[in-house]
Every structure is written in structure tokens, then in C-alpha cells.
Amino acid sequence: MPDRTRLVVLLVIALTVGTVAVGGSGVTTAQKSQVVVQSVTVSPETPRTGEDMTVRATIQNFESSTAAAEINAVTLRSKSGIITSADDPGTLGPGGTIELPLTTSFQTPGQKRLTVWVYGQSSNGGVFNVKYPVTVTVEDRGPDVQLSLSSPNERSTETQVNVTMANGADTNISNLELSLSGPNATVEDARRVNASLGRGSERVIPYDVTFASAGTQPLTATLDYRDGDGDAQSVSTSRTFEVEPTDVDADLDAEVVRENDTARIDASVTNFGNVPLERVRIRAEADGETVARKLVSDVPTETTRTVSISESSLPAGSVRLYATYEAVGERYESTTTVDFAPTTDGNITLTGIEVIPTGGSVRLAGSASNTGETDVTGAVVSVVETERVTPVAPTKDYFVGNVPAGEFTSFELTARLAGNRTDTVPIRISYIANGEQHRRVVEVSLTDGSTAPAGPSSGGGSDGSPGGGGFLGLGQINVVGILLRLALVVGVGVGVIYWWQRRSGSE
């Protein structure tokens, strides 16, 4: 409707209203319809100057109403008059509800006392109005570009201070020149230059600051820049820091770590003090000689840095570690000692061997055991052919496969021997440990299943034949036992002959 008509309607409503409901809910006194402002919300809750805010009013006609209510206008008022309004939002039947947003903004900060007014007419011709009070706090928008100071660490006479630049403007800013200073502070690289800062973004600039003494110490950050129109601008902020006395407290810890079939020493430097540790170095010493050196990054407060010393640099035994570092211009040292044992490569050993005769051959059954500290792969055991030993089916050789550290795998081998003068069987063992191929031959004794030391067997026997020996070339025949048995047989025969002669004489 035209503005003049709307004003006339509002004037008529104001003059004809009989009673105005006052209070939080604002219930009308009309006889047939019962309209109330049920609730009001403000978004954002704390708007800034120049920022749009929305007052959302929820209007309800009670279910107990016997008539519908036509809402003619809803206004948002301040002491100075109507701020914004909505005309003819609709009709509410009994139990009906409507949410109506009213949007506005304020150019000055402070607390704003507002009122939502609802003007309407019931279906029986009665008019009414309802009001609901609203309080809004508007904050000063401040400059579009803002600065803030913070310290990520425990503040001491030597600490880090972060300056955050935030661009809340609608355009990029350029030619940034940021500086940090204080009357009792020395700032390293105090002036920083940046090309630009995008709209709606922020950037954190760290500064190393040394205060001359503990106590309350102020710092001021200043940013000079050019706005989107190219005009020179400047913004600054100050903050006071409570500085604690210097506390240098560092700890060096070391441990032996075994993983992935290797061993190493992990050395850790922890900063328990309130000043950073700089120019940190770790040195490993064994038997009075330096065996390894490591550089460590600076260690901020409440931080741990860890470096690893590989097995290739370390001997077995006691290793002493030294950590040297600087704090507040002074040099410090911490030490610790650790016992180091290098990793033992995987090693296949034949154990628990049982010798089982099978006709004209023997079967060797046992375990291929990994006695090392690393896994073994591709393990194979096989019978070595000699003048007196021949590999035969079904298992001339046996693929053992992979054997983890400290584990074993069973195997079987078969061989044919040349007579009873063979007392050992050579077995070749081959496997891969730590990427290297290993091969060796061991002698398995046929008398007790044990293995002799690796390598070729000893020379020939007394008769000059390979593997000979024994009395008169009889090898392992027990000559003394045979003589005793012959004597027993002779004795029995003599006794029988003596008994037979006495019996014949008596007859």
C-alpha cells in the first residue's frame, strides 16, 4: 500500500486500540483472538557497527482463540521511532504461528533498547496491538586491519612473540611493513616487510625477543600498509607480558631400539625450562673415542627432539652420549650412558637330527633352527655327494624356506652310504640373511646325529683310504668284542668235548 495509506492505517490502529498489552509476551485483549509475541532472537547476538543484524520475531495466535487474527504490520522501534517494519505478513488461525525477520544495522556502538510491535485485527472486527522488548549490544567495528600479540611458550627473558595480522577489509592490502618494539626488549629482525595480505585472511609473524629483566614488560606492534584505494594506513596494538626469570632445565635420554632386523640408539633432548635450547649437538663416545655426531634442531620449551644413531656407527658395549647446547648465551652439557649390543645376523643351525636306516640308505630328520636376531629367507639344505655318500631320492635336497629369528623348520634328507665304513654325512646349508647369501657345509655324525664343525672333514685313516681307520681296515668293527665272543665259543666247545669223553668212558 502507499506510504500515506500505511501511515493512516497505523494512525487509525493506534487511536482505536482499547488496551495495550504490556510485558514480555504482550497478549492482546481482543475478545475473540489471542495473539502473542512468543519469542524474539537476534543474529548475530553481538553485531558490530555497520553490520546487518536480524531480529526474528515468532508470533502466535493461541489455540484457545475462537477467531483468526489478521496481522497488518510488525515494526521494530527505538526511542526515536520506527527503525524497520513489515506490512501485511498474513493471517493467523487459532493455534497458528509465523516467524517474521526484521533486518537493520547501527552505525554507533552501545546498548540498544528496542521494541517489536505487532498490529492486527481479529475476524470479528476488533483491533489489537502487542509489543515485546528487545535489548541489543552493538560493538565497535574497529579498523578493518587488526593486530594481536601472543606468546606460544612460557614467557621468560628470552622467548618468542607472535604478531598476527588480520585483514577484515573487503579488498586486499599491500606494501605491509610490520615492526615490534619495547622499552626493555631486544627484538631480532624487528622490521618485517610483506607484499600483500588478501581480504579475509591473516598471517602470523614470529619474533625472537630478549627482555633485559623479568617482570612486567610491554611490547608494541605497528603495521603500515596501503588499503584497496592505495591510501597509506597505519594500525598498532600493545600488550604487557609477565616475564619470568630464566630457567635452563634440559634432560638427555637414550635407549636401544631394535626393529626391522636392525638396532640403533635413539637419543632425546627434552626442554623442561622456560628458554629455548639452541645449537644443540649430540656426540656418541665409546672407549674414549668419538663414534658418531648429530646436529639437533633448536628445542623450544616443553618440547623434545630425538635423533637416531645407526648400528653401523656403534660398537658393542658401553656408549656414552653428550648433548651440548646454548641457552641465553651460555653453553651447557648433559650426559647419559647406554649399553649397546649389535644385531646378530640370521644363522641356520641343524639341530635334533635323527638317523633312520632305510634299507641300503639312511634318512636324516631334524630341524633347521635360526639362532640369529634377523629373519632368514630362501633356506635350503642338501646332501653333498662324496666318494662314500650319494644323495638319493626322495629328498636329495630340502627347501626349508623362510625361518624367522628364534624359530625353526623341520627337514628330511636321504643318502646312500658306501659300506659300513662311513660315519658322517656332509650337509650343505644355504640361506639369505640381511640381503647377503650364506653357504657352508656341516658334517652330520651317523652314530649320534650330531653335527661336526663346518668345513671339510679330516684326512684319511691309517690304511690310507678316505674315511678308513679301525683295526686291519675293519673301520668301526669292535675287534675286542669279536675276540671275546670267539673265546666264549671255544670255551663252550671244549666243555662239550670234555663232557662227551667222560660219558663214553663210564659206559
Side-chain angles (χ1 to χ4, degrees):
M1 67 177 64
D3 292 344
R4 180 177 296 178
T5 304
R6 184 166 80 69
L7 292 175
V8 171
V9 171
L10 294 177
L11 180 59
V12 171
I13 291 173
L15 292 175
T16 57
V17 61
T19 304
V20 177
V22 184
S25 60
V27 181
T28 180
T29 58
Q31 295 178 354
K32 298 300 183 180
S33 61
Q34 298 176 332
V35 176
V36 64
V37 179
Q38 189 177 44
S39 63
V40 171
T41 60
V42 179
S43 178
E45 294 182 358
T46 308
R48 298 191 298 173
T49 55
E51 181 182 17
D52 284 346
M53 55 160 281
T54 299
V55 177
R56 187 176 299 275
T58 301
I59 305 169
Q60 182 182 28
N61 187 10
F62 284 163
E63 292 185 1
S64 58
S65 299
T66 58
E70 181 181 359
I71 308 300
N72 297 322
V74 178
T75 65
L76 181 65
R77 288 174 170 266
S78 66
K79 290 182 180 181
S80 59
I82 296 176
I83 299 173
T84 185
S85 64
D87 298 330
D88 299 325
T91 300
L92 294 178
T97 301
I98 186 174
E99 287 188 357
L100 192 66
L102 301 169
T103 301
T104 187
S105 63
F106 296 94
Q107 301 305 316
T108 59
Q111 191 176 69
K112 311 296 181 180
R113 298 185 182 277
L114 311 174
T115 305
V116 174
W117 284 85
V118 179
Y119 302 95
Q121 183 178 1
S122 63
S123 59
N124 66 349
V127 295
F128 61 86
N129 62 17
V130 181
K131 67 178 182 179
Y132 193 104
V134 182
T135 300
V136 179
T137 300
V138 180
E139 293 184 344
D140 191 0
R141 183 181 183 88
D144 290 332
V145 178
Q146 296 180 336
L147 300 176
S148 62
L149 303 179
S150 64
S151 178
N153 305 320
E154 183 180 352
R155 290 179 291 276
S156 64
T157 55
E158 185 175 339
T159 189
Q160 177 180 313
V161 174
N162 290 339
V163 180
T164 302
M165 303 183 297
N167 181 11
D170 296 331
T171 60
N172 298 346
I173 60 175
S174 59
N175 296 0
L176 284 66
E177 183 177 320
L178 178 66
S179 61
L180 181 67
S181 61
N184 196 28
T186 301
V187 182
E188 184 177 342
D189 194 11
R191 178 178 171 273
R192 310 289 178 88
V193 176
N194 289 269
S196 64
L197 183 63
R199 63 178 184 175
S201 61
E202 66 178 31
R203 186 175 301 152
V204 178
I205 309 297
Y207 286 88
D208 291 330
V209 180
T210 302
F211 294 103
S213 61
T216 302
Q217 305 291 351
L219 287 176
T220 299
T222 301
L223 175 65
D224 296 321
Y225 65 96
R226 291 191 178 275
D227 60 20
D229 296 327
D231 297 330
Q233 303 288 345
S234 181
V235 62
S236 64
T237 187
S238 298
R239 180 178 173 181
T240 299
F241 294 90
E242 292 296 330
V243 178
E244 299 293 332
T246 298
D247 178 24
V248 180
D249 184 6
D251 180 68
L252 173 62
D253 184 47
E255 63 174 343
V256 177
V257 179
R258 297 181 181 276
E259 61 182 16
N260 299 326
D261 298 334
T262 61
R264 68 176 189 269
I265 291 180
D266 281 355
S268 302
V269 179
T270 302
N271 187 356
F272 294 103
N274 62 2
V275 292
L277 309 180
E278 301 175 333
R279 299 176 180 83
V280 185
R281 293 173 173 81
I282 290 180
R283 178 170 58 91
E285 184 179 286
D287 296 328
E289 295 184 359
T290 298
V291 295
R293 296 177 185 269
K294 291 289 183 177
L295 296 177
V296 186
S297 302
D298 291 352
V299 187
T301 61
E302 301 179 358
T303 303
T304 299
R305 302 281 196 220
T306 301
V307 295
S308 297
I309 303 174
S310 63
E311 181 176 11
S312 59
S313 302
L314 299 167
S318 178
V319 178
R320 189 161 185 81
L321 299 168
Y322 298 83
T324 57
Y325 49 90
E326 291 184 8
V328 201
E330 299 292 333
R331 195 71 176 164
Y332 297 86
E333 183 179 82
S334 299
T335 65
T336 189
T337 302
V338 62
D339 288 328
F340 181 75
T343 302
T344 302
D345 290 346
N347 178 54
I348 293 297
T349 302
L350 304 185
T351 59
I353 297 177
E354 181 181 4
V355 180
I356 305 169
T358 55
S361 61
V362 293
R363 181 163 60 94
L364 306 176
S367 299
S369 303
N370 184 358
T371 59
E373 295 182 354
T374 62
D375 295 344
V376 162
T377 60
V380 177
V381 293
S382 57
V383 176
V384 178
E385 185 172 3
T386 66
E387 293 181 358
R388 309 195 66 81
V389 177
T390 303
V392 295
T395 50
K396 299 178 181 180
D397 50 32
Y398 192 95
F399 180 71
V400 177
N402 301 338
V403 185
E407 301 293 335
F408 67 90
T409 300
S410 300
F411 72 91
E412 286 189 1
L413 293 172
T414 52
R416 185 172 62 248
L417 309 179
N420 58 4
R421 296 173 58 186
T422 304
D423 54 3
T424 61
V425 175
I427 304 296
R428 177 180 290 109
I429 306 170
S430 64
Y431 56 90
I432 298 174
N434 286 341
E436 294 185 5
Q437 182 74 46
H438 298 265
R439 292 185 180 89
R440 71 178 186 276
V441 175
V442 298
E443 300 285 344
V444 177
S445 172
L446 296 180
T447 56
D448 56 8
S450 62
T451 58
S457 59
S458 58
S462 59
D463 62 351
S465 61
F471 179 67
L472 297 177
L474 296 179
Q476 298 297 316
I477 298 175
N478 191 333
V479 178
V480 176
I482 292 176
L483 294 176
L484 290 176
R485 286 176 174 81
L486 290 176
L488 179 61
V489 172
V490 172
V492 172
V494 172
V496 171
I497 293 173
Y498 176 74
W499 173 77
W500 178 260
Q501 290 177 346
R502 286 180 56 87
R503 179 180 179 186
S504 299
S506 60
E507 290 178 353

